[in-house]
């Protein structure tokens, strides 16, 4: 089954083709992502209306480009998967409208995909031997969650952020120190030049039981440190390093607790912050110490992309699941409400 995946939840237009007859990494026939960073940089953040209009301009050309790279014609598509939420409602509607129209014209099934399930399953795309049960850390600009995965579609929330997501905290902290948009990657790059221990910030909510997160207080600590400093480039790098170390340590501590709570030694990490080098190294060390394993998607598949949507959709389409013909989206969507995929649920 050749599945076309469409991702338009925020400020990246992603398209991919996944072929279930070629399992593992070879199944990804082609994928392309167009980023709107340059469009939104002038405003210091995503402008929803501009994002929607840019998806309208870019999506169909990107579909044609991806099919050409995959070496298949539109008529060879057997199913269409699209992000239906969570995300910006206007941006989601662009992808859903195009996906449903293509599915109707081709007379093939379509499936609405949960954006965060796409992220969660991305590591499985490249590692076909990776199967539930495992614990997943979903860590991005909009989400920071720990989820116990018993099967594909059978998820239990263990903990989540009570305020800012980790990626959002990166972006906001970078902005308050005057770094250009998008701030998170800029801050992580700057932290590479910082001295470890020059600034020591708290590891929020690690001094008490539980698996929830909170990063707003950490952001305030950085603001106060920055205001009271000489604001030199050296100090900026040191503060960036202190902030990144605090976030990475906090995520790592909570991940280890989650593995203990779930009685599991397999950790899957997904989402944009999952590309952070220091986080990857820290979680690798924890997995080695426990005699377990941690799996990440390649950095290109950590950020929003069509490949994860095509893959997640293919798993559900293969199981006989599909969505009705209505063009509908869910800007807010609880992942626990998703149906399980029978082949992975031991049903």
């Amino acid at each position: 089954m050749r599945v076309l995946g469409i991702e338009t939840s925020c400020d990246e237009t992603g398209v991919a083709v996944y072929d279930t007859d070629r399992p593992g990494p070879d199944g990804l026939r082609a994928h392309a992502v167009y980023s709107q960073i340059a469009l939104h940089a002038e405003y210091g953040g995503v402008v929803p209306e501009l994002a929607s209009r840019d998806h309208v301009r870019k999506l169909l050309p990107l579909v044609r480009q991806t099919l050409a790279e995959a070496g298949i014609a539109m008529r060879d598509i057997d199913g269409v998967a699209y992000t239906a939420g969570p995300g910006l409602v206007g941006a989601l509607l662009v992808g859903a409208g195009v996906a449903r129209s293509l599915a109707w014209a081709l007379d093939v099934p379509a499936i609405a995909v949960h954006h965060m399930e796409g992220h969660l399953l991305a590591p499985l795309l490249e590692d076909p031997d990776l199967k539930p049960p495992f614990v997943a850390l979903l860590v991005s600009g909009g989400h920071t969650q720990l989820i116990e995965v018993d099967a594909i579609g059978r998820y239990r929330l263990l903990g989540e952020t009570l305020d800012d997501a980790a990626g959002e905290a990166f972006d906001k902290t970078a902005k308050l120190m005057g770094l250009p948009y998008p701030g998170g990657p800029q801050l992580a790059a700057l932290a590479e030049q910082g001295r470890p221990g020059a600034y020591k910030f708290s590891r929020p909510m690690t001094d008490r039981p539980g698996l929830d997160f909170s990063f707003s207080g950490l952001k305030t600590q950085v603001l106060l440190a920055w205001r009271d400093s000489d604001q030199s480039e050296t100090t900026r790098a040191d503060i960036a390093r202190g902030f990144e170390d605090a976030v990475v340590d906090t995520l790592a501590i909570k991940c280890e607790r989650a593995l203990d709570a779930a009685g599991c030694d397999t950790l899957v990490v997904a989402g944009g912050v999952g590309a952070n080098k220091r986080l990857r190294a820290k979680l690798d060390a924890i997995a080695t110490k426990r005699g377990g394993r941690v799996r990440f998607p390649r950095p290109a598949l950590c950020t929003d992309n069509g490949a994860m949507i095509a893959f997640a959709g293919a798993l559900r389409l293969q199981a006989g699941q599909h969505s009705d013909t209505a063009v509908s989206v869910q800007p807010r969507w609880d992942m626990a409400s998703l149906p399980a995929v029978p082949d992975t649920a031991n049903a």
Side-chain angles (χ1 to χ4, degrees):
M1 172 179 266
R2 292 173 292 270
V3 178
L4 177 70
I6 293 174
E7 154 62 23
T8 62
S9 63
C10 190
D11 60 343
E12 275 111 8
T13 310
V15 178
V17 175
Y18 185 80
D19 189 342
T20 61
D21 293 331
R22 301 165 62 174
D26 291 340
L28 185 58
R29 298 283 295 269
H31 76 106
V33 177
Y34 171 78
S35 173
Q36 299 178 0
I37 285 176
L39 175 68
H40 300 291
E42 179 182 352
Y43 306 96
V46 177
V47 181
E49 178 64 19
L50 294 181
S52 302
R53 292 181 182 215
D54 213 38
H55 287 308
V56 171
R57 285 190 290 267
K58 302 297 183 183
L59 182 51
L60 285 176
L62 208 61
V63 168
R64 288 191 287 268
Q65 173 190 326
T66 305
L67 289 173
E69 291 176 0
I72 63 176
M74 183 72 76
R75 63 179 177 274
D76 296 324
I77 293 297
D78 301 308
V80 183
Y82 61 96
T83 302
L88 303 175
V89 63
L92 291 168
L93 283 168
V94 174
V98 170
R100 292 290 348 171
S101 298
L102 288 175
W104 178 83
L106 296 169
D107 193 24
V108 298
I111 185 77
V113 175
H114 192 290
H115 179 76
M116 297 312 295
E117 182 178 53
H119 276 302
L120 186 154
L121 298 178
L124 281 66
L125 190 160
E126 298 182 293
D127 186 355
D129 294 329
L130 178 61
K131 306 288 184 186
F134 54 76
V135 170
L137 171 67
L138 301 182
V139 57
S140 67
H143 297 80
T144 301
Q145 298 177 326
L146 282 164
I147 296 173
E148 184 177 2
V149 180
D150 292 325
I152 296 174
R154 188 174 290 171
Y155 309 124
R156 183 168 73 92
L157 181 66
L158 299 175
E160 63 183 338
T161 185
L162 304 179
D163 39 59
D164 291 349
E168 183 182 7
F170 264 93
D171 288 338
K172 288 181 177 179
T173 300
K175 187 173 184 178
L176 69 85
M177 290 199 297
L179 295 175
Y181 172 86
Q186 301 276 351
L187 188 146
L190 186 61
E192 294 292 326
Q193 306 167 32
R195 296 171 296 169
Y199 281 85
K200 182 76 171 180
F201 300 114
S202 67
R203 276 56 176 161
M205 296 184 70
T206 59
D207 59 348
R208 68 194 79 171
L211 295 171
D212 287 331
F213 303 88
S214 173
F215 295 107
S216 62
L218 175 59
K219 183 181 61 183
T220 302
Q221 290 180 50
V222 174
L223 173 61
L224 295 175
W226 175 245
R227 285 180 174 175
D228 293 340
S229 74
D230 60 8
Q231 299 191 3
S232 67
E233 286 304 309
T234 298
T235 299
R236 195 199 305 259
D238 288 343
I239 291 177
R241 176 62 186 267
F243 169 81
E244 184 180 63
D245 283 345
V247 173
V248 167
D249 285 351
T250 300
L251 293 171
I253 289 167
K254 297 285 186 170
C255 282
E256 191 154 25
R257 288 184 187 176
L259 290 169
D260 289 338
C264 178
D265 280 321
T266 299
L267 177 68
V268 165
V269 183
V273 182
N276 184 278
K277 294 177 182 178
R278 195 159 281 119
L279 177 62
R280 286 181 172 235
K282 189 85 173 181
L283 295 179
D284 268 328
I286 287 175
T288 300
K289 181 186 71 175
R290 295 175 66 94
R293 58 179 178 163
V294 59
R295 292 291 182 267
F296 309 89
R298 71 180 96 149
L301 298 186
C302 286
T303 54
D304 294 350
N305 62 86
M308 66 184 192
I309 302 304
F311 178 69
L315 293 177
R316 292 189 173 276
L317 287 169
Q318 275 193 304
Q321 299 178 7
H322 59 84
S323 303
D324 60 32
T325 57
V327 178
S328 60
V329 297
Q330 299 187 61
R332 296 181 181 274
W333 190 1
D334 182 3
M335 198 162 67
S337 67
L338 296 174
V341 174
D343 287 347
T344 68
N346 298 319

